[in-house]
Amino acid sequence: MAASSQQSSQHLLVLLLLLLSCLAGAATAGSTMQCHDEDQAALLAINSALGSPYHFASWTPDTFCCDWYDVDCDNATGRVVGLSVFGDANVTAAIPDAIANLTGLRTLVLRHLPGLTGGIPESLAQLSGLSQLTISYTGVSGPVPAFLSQLAELALLDLSFNSLSGAIPASLADLPALASIDLSRNRLEGPVPALLLSKCPGQVELWLSHNNLSGAIPAGFAAINFTHLDLSRNSLSGDASAVLGRGKPLQHLDLSRNDLRFSLTGAELPEQLTYLDLSHNAIRGRVPAQVADLAGLQLFNVSYNKLCGVLPTGGVMERFDAYSYQHNKCLCGSPLPACHRYML
C-alpha cells in the first residue's frame, strides 16, 4: 500500500514537471513571436538617436523588444503598437525619424522630456495607423505641422506645454476621428479654425489655453458636442454665447481672460456643467437664474466683467463667495452687498 502511494506521488511529480516545462516552452515561444526584426531595429535606432539614456537600460539586442520598458506590442501580431517615453530629463535630442519605422504604431507618447528639442518631424506622417499622438512638456518648437491631417486614424492629439508657434492648421479639421485636441501652453497665434472638430459625430474635448489666439470663437462651435472647452488666456473677442445652451453635454467651460463681449442675460446653460469660468472679459447683462439649478456646478467665476443686477439665490449659489463676482459694474445681493434701487 505504501509502495503504491509512493508511485502515485512520483507520477504526480512527473506530470507537474512536464506541465511546467510545457508552460515555460509556450512562454518562450510566445516571447519569440512578440518581436519583429524591423521593430527591434527601429527601437534600437531610436535609443541611439536619444543618446542611449538610462531610461532605456532594458533595450538590449539580446532581449525581445516587446519586453522592453515603454514598449507595447499587439498580442495577436507581435508588432509594436505603443511607445510611451516620459519623465527623463537625460533625453537630449530631437524627435528621432526612426520612430516612423514602427509602422504598426498606434500610440506615441513623448511626455515630460524637457531636453527633447527641434520640430515635429514630417516622417511621423508615415504612421498611418496612429490614433494617439502626445508630445507634451518638452522643448519641441516650430509650427503645429499641417501633415498631421494625413493621420486619418488620429483620435487624440496632445501637443501641450511646448514652444510651438504659428497658426493652428485649418487642415486638422479634416480628421474624421479626431475627438480630443490639447494645444494649450504654447505660443500659437491667429484664429481658431472655423471647422475644427466639426467632423467628429460624438463628444469632443478642446484645450487651447495660454496662447496668443485672436479673432472670434467659430460660430460652428454651436453644433459641436463639447464636454470640455478651454479657450482661456488668449485674445479672443466677440460673442461666445453659441457654445452655451440647454441639452449640450458640456461639463467644463473656461473662457476666462479674453476680450469676449456679449450679454449673459437670457443665456441658457448646459445642465451638466461642473466648471464655468467667464472671468476677465467684457460680458454684460445679468447672471442667469438657472445657475442656481446646476446641481453639479463646483466652480463659477464671472468676476472682472460688466455684469449688473441682483444675484440668483438658492440651489448651489451658497457654494460661491464674493470672489466669484468681484469687479463687475453693479452686481448685488448675497454674498455681495445688498442691492440699491438703481441696481435693479
Side-chain angles (χ1 to χ4, degrees), residues 111-126:
R111 186 174 174 85
H112 284 291
L113 303 172
L116 196 67
T117 57
I120 299 173
E122 191 169 357
S123 56
L124 297 187
Q126 301 173 41

Side-chain angles (χ1 to χ4, degrees), residues 42-251:
L43 289 167
L44 290 173
I46 293 167
N47 182 28
S48 177
L50 295 178
S52 300
Y54 181 74
H55 192 82
F56 297 153
S58 65
W59 291 25
T60 57
D62 57 340
T63 58
F64 297 120
C65 65
C66 291
D67 296 328
W68 294 355
Y69 189 64
D70 294 337
V71 176
D72 292 313
C73 292
D74 184 279
N75 291 330
T77 66
R79 301 307 301 263
V80 172
V81 294
L83 178 62
S84 301
V85 185
F86 53 89
D88 192 341
N90 295 316
V91 172
T92 55
I95 298 173
D97 284 321
I99 291 175
N101 295 329
L102 297 171
T103 55
L105 206 61
R106 299 173 199 156
T107 299
L108 175 60
V109 177
L110 304 173
R111 186 174 174 85
H112 284 291
L113 303 172
L116 196 67
T117 57
I120 299 173
E122 191 169 357
S123 56
L124 297 187
Q126 301 173 41
L127 300 174
S128 58
L130 201 65
S131 62
Q132 176 183 346
L133 175 59
T134 296
I135 303 171
S136 180
Y137 291 90
T138 75
V140 168
S141 58
V144 176
F147 68 72
L148 294 176
S149 63
Q150 300 174 37
L151 302 176
E153 302 297 320
L154 197 63
L156 184 152
L157 177 64
D158 182 355
L159 303 179
S160 61
F161 289 85
N162 294 302
S163 296
L164 299 172
S165 57
I168 300 173
S171 58
L172 288 182
D174 297 335
L175 293 169
L178 192 57
S180 179
I181 299 176
D182 190 349
L183 303 178
S184 57
R185 302 270 182 172
N186 281 287
R187 302 169 185 171
L188 301 175
E189 300 175 340
V192 178
L195 300 177
L196 196 64
L197 294 172
S198 62
K199 288 197 172 182
C200 183
Q203 298 181 353
V204 300
E205 305 171 337
L206 179 62
W207 288 271
L208 298 178
S209 68
H210 292 79
N211 280 290
N212 299 310
L213 300 171
S214 57
I217 294 175
F221 277 14
I224 296 177
N225 292 318
F226 288 107
T227 58
H228 288 70
L229 178 60
D230 188 348
L231 305 178
S232 62
R233 294 179 182 265
N234 283 287
S235 298
L236 298 171
S237 58
D239 190 348
S241 59
V243 301
L244 303 172
R246 292 180 185 267
K248 293 186 176 183
L250 191 61
Q251 301 170 25

Side-chain angles (χ1 to χ4, degrees), residues 253-333:
L253 177 62
D254 192 345
L255 302 178
S256 62
R257 296 180 184 273
N258 280 287
D259 188 28
L260 299 171
R261 299 170 183 268
F262 63 98
S263 176
L264 203 56
T265 302
E268 295 187 333
L269 304 175
E271 296 89 340
Q272 298 181 47
L273 275 175
T274 62
Y275 186 109
L276 178 59
D277 191 346
L278 303 177
S279 64
H280 293 269
N281 281 289
I283 300 170
R284 63 189 184 278
R286 295 171 175 261
V287 175
Q290 185 200 356
V291 174
D293 300 326
L294 300 177
L297 194 63
Q298 299 299 319
L299 185 143
F300 179 62
N301 192 348
V302 291
S303 62
Y304 291 88
N305 277 291
K306 298 181 178 180
L307 297 170
C308 205
V310 62
L311 291 172
T313 56
V316 302
M317 300 309 294
E318 64 181 16
R319 297 176 185 171
F320 313 117
D321 59 21
Y323 174 81
S324 297
Y325 312 107
Q326 64 183 350
H327 293 281
N328 270 283
K329 185 177 180 181
C330 50
L331 284 178
C332 59

